Amino acid sequence: MANLKEVKQRITSVSSTQQITKAMKMVAAAKLRRAQDRIIKMRPYSQKLTSILDEVVSAMGGELEIAFAEQRAVQNVLVVSMTSDKGLCGAFNSNIMKATVSLVEKEYKGKNVTILPLGKKAFEFFTRRNYNAKTDFYEVFSDVKYDEVRVIAEYAMNGFLSKQFDRVVLVYNHFRNVATQDITVEQFLPMGGVKDLTSKGKTASTDYILEPSKEYVIRDLVPTALKTQFYKAVLDSNASEHGARMTSMDKATENANELLKELKLMYNRNRQAAITNEILEIVAGANALEGS
């Protein structure tokens, strides 16, 4: 059984840890509010832009070939893996890494796979294991800005157009709520949805007037929609990180509280046992003196 000094030291240590986890939970909650507002405001714009693109392309009946929708035999693949810069967020990072490794070693086994890590955890994981990694953009989550994300999206898009990559896949956490983040593996290029519409030749539900020309609008709208889609995925991952960290720190605080209760109960029991032993020793000593 641990003595009183050891139990008291453990109580002090757990109390200090609990204060840290509480503070981290509050910081994560503050960051989450901002990140959640950004992704919630971004989603309607992204969905509407994609919807307009789909309807305009379908109305054209396949009369314009879209370079970003070109289907090719898959040999060279770019996998964009989005993690956080820091830990202490539960299984947030490990789930992304497992999904990425599974994608590389199972679905694209035998292909030329390049990994684009976004986030320091992904950068450290894939560089240490000697994966073919493009490491120019991993610090994007230090301060998420559209201009920086646009450069990354353009790298992937230009790589697809130049046939450096035949397919681009995003692996990230989709933000549902504070407690729930879904691992998402999403094909970024080629644009499967647009390709389906062009091949089927569906009619649009809205009649659009396109100026100066259909070709100009499509060639400008498609890259914008793709960059918006990429930016939305980054915002999803950013909000998911703070949600996961807030949940993880909340659980850690609760666990510390339960441990403190057990330690204090142990301390009180040990203290009571020590006092009882001292009383017994005193009584025994007094009886020995009386007997002498």
Side-chain angles (χ1 to χ4, degrees):
M1 182 180 291
N3 58 40
L4 288 174
K5 185 177 180 181
E6 290 175 348
V7 175
K8 195 170 184 179
Q9 287 176 342
R10 288 190 64 190
I11 290 174
T12 302
S13 176
V14 173
S15 297
S16 299
T17 303
Q18 187 183 46
Q19 290 177 355
I20 294 171
T21 56
K22 278 184 178 178
M24 292 186 69
K25 176 188 172 183
M26 294 174 65
V27 171
K31 291 182 177 180
L32 174 63
R33 281 192 291 270
R34 294 193 295 269
Q36 189 174 3
D37 287 343
R38 293 176 73 181
I39 186 59
I40 288 175
K41 291 177 181 177
M42 183 66 187
R43 278 177 182 164
Y45 172 77
S46 176
Q47 291 168 357
K48 187 62 178 177
L49 184 60
T50 303
S51 174
I52 292 173
L53 177 62
D54 289 347
E55 291 188 354
V56 170
V57 171
S58 65
M60 296 173 65
E63 61 187 70
L64 179 65
E65 184 177 345
I66 299 175
F68 291 110
E70 180 187 353
Q71 299 286 341
R72 300 194 290 260
V74 178
Q75 184 60 37
N76 302 301
V77 183
L78 177 67
V79 178
V80 183
S81 182
M82 304 185 194
T83 63
S84 66
D85 287 340
K86 301 176 182 177
L88 298 176
C89 47
F92 175 86
N93 291 318
S94 60
N95 286 341
I96 289 293
M97 293 167 188
K98 288 177 183 177
T100 304
V101 170
S102 176
L103 198 67
V104 172
E105 297 183 354
K106 293 181 180 179
E107 185 169 348
Y108 296 120
K109 186 176 182 180
K111 310 294 184 183
N112 298 323
V113 180
T114 302
I115 297 177
L116 178 60
L118 300 184
K120 290 182 180 178
K121 290 298 179 181
F123 167 77
E124 293 170 357
F125 180 86
F126 292 110
T127 52
R128 286 176 182 173
R129 287 161 179 78
N130 298 320
Y131 281 89
N132 181 22
K134 174 73 173 177
T135 59
D136 295 352
F137 309 109
Y138 72 92
E139 294 182 326
V140 65
F141 288 109
S142 58
D143 185 16
V144 180
K145 296 179 180 178
Y146 176 76
D147 287 340
E148 295 181 4
V149 176
R150 175 179 55 81
V151 173
I152 304 172
E154 287 175 348
Y155 167 77
M157 293 160 63
N158 292 335
F160 182 80
L161 290 179
S162 65
K163 298 186 179 181
Q164 180 183 355
F165 308 119
D166 301 313
R167 180 170 294 175
V168 180
V169 181
L170 309 182
V171 184
Y172 64 98
N173 279 284
H174 174 74
F175 179 79
R176 288 180 59 187
N177 53 53
V178 176
T180 307
Q181 301 85 35
D182 298 328
I183 300 295
T184 302
V185 178
E186 179 180 298
Q187 181 175 311
F188 181 61
L189 291 170
M191 299 173 65
V194 172
K195 187 66 177 178
D196 291 341
L197 287 169
T198 56
S199 62
K200 294 176 184 177
K202 294 181 180 178
T203 57
S205 59
T206 306
D207 186 18
Y208 292 98
I209 299 174
L210 304 179
E211 293 182 356
S213 67
K214 292 180 180 179
E215 292 80 3
Y216 180 88
V217 171
I218 290 298
R219 285 170 184 159
D220 187 66
L221 189 60
V222 168
T224 301
L226 285 171
K227 293 170 190 175
T228 302
Q229 179 185 350
F230 198 101
Y231 184 52
K232 181 184 72 67
V234 172
L235 290 182
D236 256 319
S237 181
N238 188 46
S240 296
E241 174 196 345
H242 298 308
R245 182 170 290 109
M246 180 180 169
T247 302
S248 180
M249 291 300 100
D250 182 55
K251 293 294 183 183
T253 302
E254 289 180 4
N255 292 338
N257 192 47
E258 293 296 323
L259 185 56
L260 280 174
K261 289 180 181 178
E262 294 177 6
L263 289 172
K264 287 177 180 178
L265 183 61
M266 183 187 299
Y267 178 82
N268 290 333
R269 284 176 177 172
N270 288 357
R271 185 168 174 270
Q272 188 175 20
I275 292 172
T276 302
N277 287 335
E278 289 178 2
I279 292 174
L280 290 174
E281 290 174 0
I282 292 171
V283 171
N287 289 336
L289 289 172
E290 288 179 1
S292 61

